[in-house]
Amino acid sequence: MSWLFLNEIRDLDKGPGACDIFFSSKGHDAPALYSVLIGLGLLPEDKADHLRRLHGLPGHPHVETPYIQANTGSLGMGISKAKGMAIANRLAGRPRRIFVLTGDGELQEGQFWESLASAASRRLGEIVVIVDHNKIQSDTWVEQVSDLGDVEAKVRAFGWHVTRCDGHDVHEIERTLRALDLVVDQPKLVIADTVKGKGVSFMEGPTLTAGALYAYHSGAPTEAEYANGSRELLEIAARLFRTGGLGQLATRSGRRPERREPRDTQNLISAYSDALLLQADRHSRIVALDADLVKDCGLVPFAKQYPDRFVECGIAEQDMVSMACGLARRGALPIVHSFACFLSARPNEQIYNQCSEGSKAIYVGSLAGLLPGGPGHSHQSVRDISALGSVPNLLMAEPAVADEVHALFDYLVTTAVESSYLRLVSVKWPVPFGYPAGQRVQPGQGWVVREGRDLVVFGYGPWLLSNAWHAVDELQTSAGITTRLVNLPWLNRVDPVWLKETIGDRRAVLLLDNHYVHGGQGEMLAAAIASLGLDPVVSVARAGVVTLPECGTNDEVLAHHGLDIPSLVKAFHAAVGRQRAGTVRQPA
């Protein structure tokens, strides 16, 4: 990135709309790009202290940031976007080179290979794709997940000009790019051999032993590792300054955000990991499939206990779901794992196809909802309920506490006859209530978290119901308003008899969503309440995400979207106020 911005990208001084184009398709490297832009004065220096903060620098690229040319998302989009940019530039008479950085794990996505042929047939020679070939994807070696084989030969067969270089040697990078200047009528791909974690000895990829998982892609270093890694990088920088005749390396101290004190929290991913093992012990038909997120989805214990029943599919969700479809057709019970944002969207057609066959599969989407806020909107899954809610023969549920994870998963495995989607919040959260003793799982029915007379609030999931609980406390103390708080774990089913009994004679209802309001559980409940024909009519309000999710700390993001405790207190009070003011009228 440094070499490209210092030496290759023309007309940088004319602004991001007029210069040559660079963007990262993989997007996980956004902090590196921010560092380059700050070093060149293209972003303010103080922005470095606002990484993953509200209105700061998002965890993954977003075009609101100057010189960010494309958002990242589910991987594999980069070359396709570059082709569109190249065609638009040609139509406008703007000759611009386009540099796209991809990861080698990203090459497992089908869209990467789909994008190659037409780029060659259109002779889009202004496109240069650089593959960061560090040979490790999220958790382990690429070759152990889905070996890419001879990438040079494969890409060359599509009509591309392919070359290779040491991605850490700027002299070799320069020689490679100068040689590419002579290739004008073919798109170009550079395989840059690199070391993941280069510069910090204990993070460097070659230190990863066989069978071990890489700890620093999706995991943060410990305090000691942070200090040791920083010291190594400063020593390298100081040596380079001396060698280059630049004098003494100058540094300044900054203040890192305080870390939360440990809290007694619900860890739903850990609970799911236990529940999966328990069910696998009982049911030999269970096969677990993963999309390169074995740690984040809680699958490490299963993979160790049942290696023959674990399938690592890599970064290829469509392939994974259709594989599950085949497993289900031949009598297995596939349980399919990825982040909710990717599992609900990219293989949506494949999930629909599987459900249309009448077979049974279970989809488990972790990292669901608005939190964590740090990764940014590409990873904040707030449209998965709407994306999957209308799929026939697909039952959707979200647990609020660890015991409910076990109860719901047991039902989905042993009792449900249709396919299902289990939505899991990954952030650990303190929850002030527990799963009721003796609670029976019934699709479309929930349970009362706490009692109250003036208002009934429906919600689901750990942090949403926890914030609602504390808002109920504050509302009762400040205004004497009591609230019946209800957990409905079913996201696309509701029992109308249970719903009517749960509302009772209360005439103020508030529906909460850890999702876009449009297409969320609240929309289903509002329609169901309207169908009940209650007399007098019920005042129904909804609260959830209504704009593109913001990136920031969890507290910042909740406050911005009106789902923190103070915001919910106001929403609850307003819901009761509307009903008491008599603003609701019986429809004609």
Side-chain angles (χ1 to χ4, degrees):
M1 290 182 190
S2 296
W3 181 268
L4 291 176
F5 274 87
L6 285 168
N7 300 285
E8 303 294 333
I9 297 180
R10 300 167 299 184
D11 298 324
L12 197 59
D13 58 326
K14 296 181 181 179
C19 63
D20 286 339
I21 295 168
F22 168 84
F23 66 92
S24 172
S25 178
K26 58 177 180 168
H28 306 96
D29 46 15
L33 179 53
Y34 298 149
S35 297
V36 170
L37 295 175
I38 289 170
L40 291 171
L42 301 175
L43 286 179
E45 184 180 351
D46 62 3
K47 282 287 187 181
D49 297 325
H50 292 85
L51 178 65
R52 297 194 170 202
R53 299 298 300 272
L54 191 67
H55 308 311
L57 296 173
H60 286 75
H62 194 285
V63 294
E64 290 179 346
T65 307
Y67 291 92
I68 299 297
Q69 302 281 5
N71 291 353
T72 190
S74 186
L75 296 174
M77 298 181 183
I79 297 177
S80 301
K81 290 189 176 186
K83 289 190 298 184
M85 293 176 180
I87 293 169
N89 284 342
R90 289 185 176 190
L91 291 172
R94 292 189 302 257
R96 292 289 180 266
R97 291 179 297 175
I98 304 170
F99 298 92
V100 182
L101 185 63
T102 76
D104 46 7
E106 183 177 4
L107 271 56
Q108 293 161 356
E109 278 285 15
Q111 187 176 351
F112 173 87
W113 300 100
E114 289 180 47
S115 68
L116 296 177
S118 65
S121 64
R122 285 183 170 272
R123 301 184 179 277
L124 300 180
E126 58 265 57
I127 295 177
V128 179
V129 175
I130 302 169
V131 179
D132 178 13
H133 191 38
N134 60 44
K135 304 163 192 68
I136 296 176
Q137 45 194 91
S138 177
D139 295 324
T140 189
W141 296 100
V142 173
E143 66 178 13
Q144 293 178 2
V145 176
S146 184
D147 193 353
L148 296 172
D150 190 343
V151 177
E152 292 180 65
K154 288 180 179 179
V155 176
R156 198 172 282 126
F158 280 92
W160 284 56
H161 179 89
V162 182
T163 187
R164 197 166 198 139
C165 72
D166 180 345
H168 297 300
D169 186 334
V170 293
H171 300 295
E172 195 168 327
I173 292 171
E174 181 183 24
R175 287 194 296 271
T176 300
L177 292 175
R178 292 293 70 78
L180 292 185
D181 290 341
L182 304 176
V183 181
V184 296
D185 62 348
Q186 286 178 283
K188 282 89 74 172
L189 183 134
V190 179
I191 300 173
D193 288 302
T194 57
V195 173
K196 195 175 181 80
K198 178 73 171 177
V200 178
S201 59
F202 56 87
M203 290 184 176
E204 291 186 349
T207 64
L208 181 61
T209 57
L213 298 176
Y214 188 74
Y216 305 105
H217 180 100
S218 59
T222 65
E223 291 291 338
E225 289 171 335
Y226 181 88
N228 291 336
S230 298
R231 183 168 56 252
E232 288 189 29
L233 291 172
L234 286 171
E235 289 172 356
I236 293 170
R239 184 169 65 250
L240 290 172
F241 264 61
R242 290 193 300 270
T243 304
L246 299 176
Q248 185 75 18
L249 174 68
T251 63
R252 65 175 178 83
S253 298
R255 180 181 178 184
R256 291 172 55 205
E258 292 80 7
R259 295 192 175 186
R260 285 185 182 271
E261 292 297 320
R263 300 180 292 174
D264 183 15
T265 58
Q266 293 284 318
N267 185 341
L268 300 195
I269 299 299
S270 178
Y272 172 72
S273 182
D274 294 339
L276 176 61
L277 269 183
L278 180 64
Q279 295 299 330
D281 292 340
R282 297 172 178 172
H283 305 282
S284 61
R285 294 193 307 122
I286 286 178
V287 178
L289 298 90
D290 173 59
D292 189 38
L293 293 166
V294 63
K295 290 188 298 182
D296 297 276
C297 293
L299 299 177
V300 174
F302 182 95
K304 290 181 178 179
Q305 183 74 18
Y306 295 107
D308 293 340
R309 293 157 58 186
F310 175 73
V311 184
E312 179 53 76
C313 303
I315 306 169
E317 293 87 359
Q318 292 169 312
D319 178 59
M320 176 175 66
V321 170
S322 291
M323 196 185 308
C325 189
L327 282 162
R329 287 288 296 163
R330 302 305 297 171
L333 177 57
I335 304 182
V336 185
H337 303 81
S338 187
F339 284 164
C341 53
F342 305 139
L343 185 58
S344 62
R346 175 147 283 189
N348 189 278
E349 181 181 0
Q350 286 76 13
I351 292 174
Y352 183 84
N353 180 269
Q354 178 269 311
C355 290
S356 75
E357 292 184 344
S359 60
K360 179 177 176 178
I362 299 175
Y363 302 95
V364 182
S366 58
L367 206 77
L370 191 60
L371 303 182
H377 71 84
S378 64
H379 286 58
Q380 290 163 297
S381 185
V382 291
R383 63 188 183 96
D384 53 325
I385 299 175
S386 58
L388 294 173
S390 63
V391 174
N393 306 316
L394 185 70
L395 182 62
M396 302 173 65
E398 178 173 335
V401 292
D403 287 342
E404 192 172 30
V405 173
H406 282 268
L408 289 174
F409 191 61
D410 179 74
Y411 178 87
L412 299 179
V413 170
T414 63
T415 305
V417 296
E418 57 193 324
S419 293
S420 54
Y421 174 73
L422 186 66
R423 188 179 197 248
L424 295 177
V425 168
S426 292
V427 293
K428 302 173 185 177
W429 205 266
V431 178
F433 55 85
Y435 192 61
Q439 177 68 28
R440 291 181 63 242
V441 174
Q442 293 284 348
Q445 297 184 16
W447 43 278
V448 176
V449 175
R450 62 185 296 171
E451 280 291 5
R453 291 292 313 155
D454 302 298
L455 173 68
V456 57
V457 173
F458 291 88
Y460 52 88
W463 67 258
L464 188 63
L465 286 172
S466 178
N467 282 3
W469 170 287
H470 293 298
V472 167
D473 270 345
E474 290 195 20
L475 190 62
Q476 184 168 346
T477 300
S478 62
I481 295 172
T482 65
T483 302
R484 170 177 269 192
L485 180 61
V486 180
N487 173 35
L488 179 60
W490 306 102
L491 303 174
N492 66 338
R493 306 285 171 84
V494 61
D495 181 333
V497 175
W498 171 85
L499 180 62
K500 185 175 183 179
E501 291 175 351
T502 302
I503 295 173
D505 60 358
R506 299 165 189 83
R507 287 299 174 263
V509 176
L510 185 64
L511 310 173
L512 300 178
D513 260 305
N514 178 18
H515 186 273
Y516 284 127
V517 169
H518 181 59
Q521 184 200 69
E523 194 167 84
M524 172 196 70
L525 284 175
I529 293 169
S531 298
L532 293 176
L534 298 175
D535 186 14
V537 72
V538 173
S539 168
V540 177
R542 291 185 284 163
V545 183
V546 294
T547 60
L548 194 71
E550 283 288 343
C551 176
T553 66
N554 291 343
D555 291 341
E556 289 173 338
V557 169
L558 288 177
H560 177 85
H561 289 284
L563 293 171
D564 62 335
I565 296 169
S567 299
L568 290 181
V569 171
K570 294 177 182 177
F572 292 3
H573 197 281
V576 174
R578 281 191 296 270
Q579 193 274 331
R580 288 180 175 176
T583 57
V584 179
R585 296 287 184 265
Q586 183 72 32

